[in-house]
Amino acid sequence: MKVFVFDAAKCNGCYGCQVACKDEHVDNDWSPYAKPQPDTGHFWMKVNQKTHGQVPKVKVEYFAKPCMHCDDASCIKVAKNNAVYKRPDGLVIIDPEKAKGQRAIAEVCPYEAVYWNDTLDIPQKCTGCAQLIVEGKEPRCVDACATGALMFGDESEFVNILTKAEVMNPEYGMKPRVYYLNLPKLFVAGEIYDPNIDECLSGVEVTLTNIDTGKVLKETTDNFGDYWFKKLEAGKYSLTAKKEGYQVYVLNGFWVEDSLKVEDIALQKQV
């Protein structure tokens, strides 16, 4: 069974996979797997950009989102006349002839990965480049990935990687066959300084506590007075900053729903 694996840490946002998908499918009829993709409006491979934090603590991350080729796909369940089927290799295919007029196939996908073609009156989506797979080739998006962020192959090839990977929106219960490494997570970051000398403070012990779960994380400020807490869950937190010779600073009960740049902390010297 085939799987896609995407490593967000390797993606530089070049959009090469998205462009390659267009090049492969626009104006090309790959029946019985797919009719031509429209010039605009469809992104069978879509690169999503997410900006975290606030200036100057900002990170921009990318993740690719094709059809998830789910093992328990909602599009298969709603399709009539076996218009959507799963191949033995795991790829989910919409039969462009049988699916004509079946708008429900496009509407039922919780990942919004199925598009409706008004001109052809059919639902369409990523096929995993099935026309290339039968020739022993890679999907065009994978072949075009310059950083190796996007991978495709037999599940057995990625056994070690998949133990560290996650799927998108597992709560949907669709059992997707697209796996993700290093997906964007929330962070809390900031800067600590001495207001009397107007200098950044290194070596400050910063403790972040998730009030909901009790989980405690610790970091130490670098030479620029910066600290970063990464891969956080949304929730209510408290933050404490300590350094010998300075008063303890406490920030209680703040919410983290998106990545947060905490206001600069001025540590006051002990009297």
Side-chain angles (χ1 to χ4, degrees):
M1 296 283 279
K2 302 292 186 181
V3 295
F4 281 93
V5 179
F6 175 77
D7 189 344
K10 295 180 180 179
C11 180
N12 63 6
C14 73
Y15 288 81
C17 57
Q18 185 170 301
V19 173
C21 178
K22 284 288 185 183
D23 183 62
E24 181 69 21
H25 292 282
V26 171
D27 293 331
N28 289 324
D29 189 330
W30 297 118
S31 295
Y33 307 115
K35 293 290 185 181
Q37 181 183 147
D39 291 350
T40 60
H42 284 214
F43 295 97
W44 298 0
M45 169 59 78
K46 184 176 183 180
V47 176
N48 291 269
Q49 175 180 315
K50 183 173 178 61
T51 302
H52 297 265
Q54 300 81 38
V55 175
K57 299 294 187 289
V58 175
K59 288 184 178 294
V60 179
E61 298 175 274
Y62 306 90
F63 59 95
K65 188 179 177 184
C67 164
M68 298 293 153
H69 296 280
C70 305
D71 282 342
D72 194 16
S74 56
C75 57
I76 292 178
K77 293 177 180 179
V78 77
K80 301 175 182 178
N81 304 320
N82 296 315
V84 186
Y85 62 96
K86 178 174 277 290
R87 290 169 23 131
D89 62 5
L91 294 177
V92 174
I93 303 296
I94 298 175
D95 186 311
E97 299 297 335
K98 293 181 179 180
K100 192 167 184 178
Q102 295 194 47
R103 186 180 286 270
I105 293 172
E107 295 174 342
V108 75
C109 176
Y111 294 102
E112 299 181 337
V114 184
Y115 298 84
W116 183 255
N117 187 322
D118 281 316
T119 302
L120 299 179
D121 195 32
I122 57 173
Q124 294 182 289
K125 68 172 191 65
C126 161
T127 65
C129 285
Q131 75 282 357
L132 297 178
I133 302 305
V134 296
E135 297 178 357
K137 299 177 181 178
E138 292 182 318
R140 278 291 304 278
C141 57
V142 175
D143 182 61
C145 182
T147 63
L150 192 57
M151 298 165 277
F152 178 84
D154 292 327
E155 191 170 4
S156 59
E157 298 175 33
F158 300 105
V159 172
N160 294 331
I161 291 178
L162 296 185
T163 60
K164 308 171 187 176
E166 58 185 306
V167 297
M168 194 172 292
N169 300 109
E171 66 274 15
Y172 293 163
M174 300 293 174
K175 301 179 182 178
R177 301 194 66 77
V178 178
Y179 292 88
Y180 290 87
L181 295 168
N182 302 306
L183 273 179
K185 302 291 183 182
L186 302 181
F187 69 75
V188 167
E191 179 182 315
I192 301 177
Y193 69 101
D194 183 328
N196 297 311
I197 59 176
D198 196 26
E199 291 285 346
C200 298
L201 282 176
S202 62
V204 180
E205 183 182 276
V206 186
T207 302
L208 185 70
T209 303
N210 187 318
I211 296 173
D212 299 322
T213 66
K215 185 176 182 179
V216 177
L217 301 169
K218 293 183 181 292
E219 292 289 342
T220 303
T221 56
D222 61 18
N223 291 334
F224 301 99
D226 290 338
Y227 62 89
W228 293 82
F229 292 95
K230 301 177 180 179
K231 297 185 177 180
L232 302 177
E233 299 296 329
K236 193 175 184 180
Y237 288 82
S238 65
L239 183 146
T240 303
K242 296 180 181 180
K243 184 176 174 65
E244 186 176 352
Y246 289 85
Q247 298 176 26
V248 175
Y249 175 90
V250 178
L251 178 62
N252 272 323
F254 60 95
W255 288 94
V256 177
E257 296 176 335
D258 289 305
S259 292
L260 177 66
K261 187 269 180 188
V262 176
E263 289 188 12
D264 294 348
I265 297 172
L267 277 193
Q268 301 291 338
K269 287 203 170 184
Q270 293 177 342
V271 178

